Amino acid sequence: MRTLAVRGGARIAVIAAEWYDDAFGVVTRGRVQLELRDGEPGPVLGRGAGFWLRGTGVRALRNPGRRTARVRIVTPRARTVACQSTHPVRQLPDDRGAT
């Protein structure tokens, strides 16, 4: 997971090759406008709104406001790697019969 800070009035290009196929953005502060593949302005998303980064035609993120906006980038693929542990899982005893 990583966080992008988009200063007021700034634009950040979305380069598809730099993102996992399943990367998902969530606006955590401020507002962000999506710029579409054809250069047309897309929707303005506020806090709590989410969007896919790759395969949707989003080519840039713009901050239409004056304050810094923050977008948290979540990549579910990273979760899979974290779950692959070489440590055995210890099962806790079943205490249902205990008095």
Side-chain angles (χ1 to χ4, degrees), residues 27 30-46 49-52 56-64:
V27 179
R31 295 181 311 139
V32 173
Q33 182 172 28
L34 306 181
E35 180 182 305
L36 305 177
R37 185 176 304 142
D38 58 5
E40 290 295 313
V44 176
L45 306 175
F51 58 95
W52 296 104
T56 58
V58 174
R59 76 174 193 182
L61 306 176
R62 292 183 182 272
N63 181 346

Side-chain angles (χ1 to χ4, degrees), residues 4-91:
L4 298 176
V6 187
R7 292 191 331 239
R11 176 184 180 271
I12 296 177
V14 174
I15 301 168
E18 294 179 3
W19 303 100
Y20 286 111
D21 288 333
D22 51 0
F24 187 75
V26 178
V27 179
T28 59
R29 186 169 95 183
R31 295 181 311 139
V32 173
Q33 182 172 28
L34 306 181
E35 180 182 305
L36 305 177
R37 185 176 304 142
D38 58 5
E40 290 295 313
V44 176
L45 306 175
R47 186 174 178 207
F51 58 95
W52 296 104
L53 281 169
R54 192 169 176 191
T56 58
V58 174
R59 76 174 193 182
L61 306 176
R62 292 183 182 272
N63 181 346
R66 292 189 288 180
R67 293 185 157 181
T68 299
R70 295 203 187 281
V71 178
R72 178 152 295 160
I73 306 300
V74 180
T75 51
R77 207 177 273 184
R79 181 186 67 219
T80 309
V81 173
C83 290
Q84 295 174 351
S85 174
T86 57
H87 302 290
V89 176
R90 192 178 93 205
Q91 187 172 351

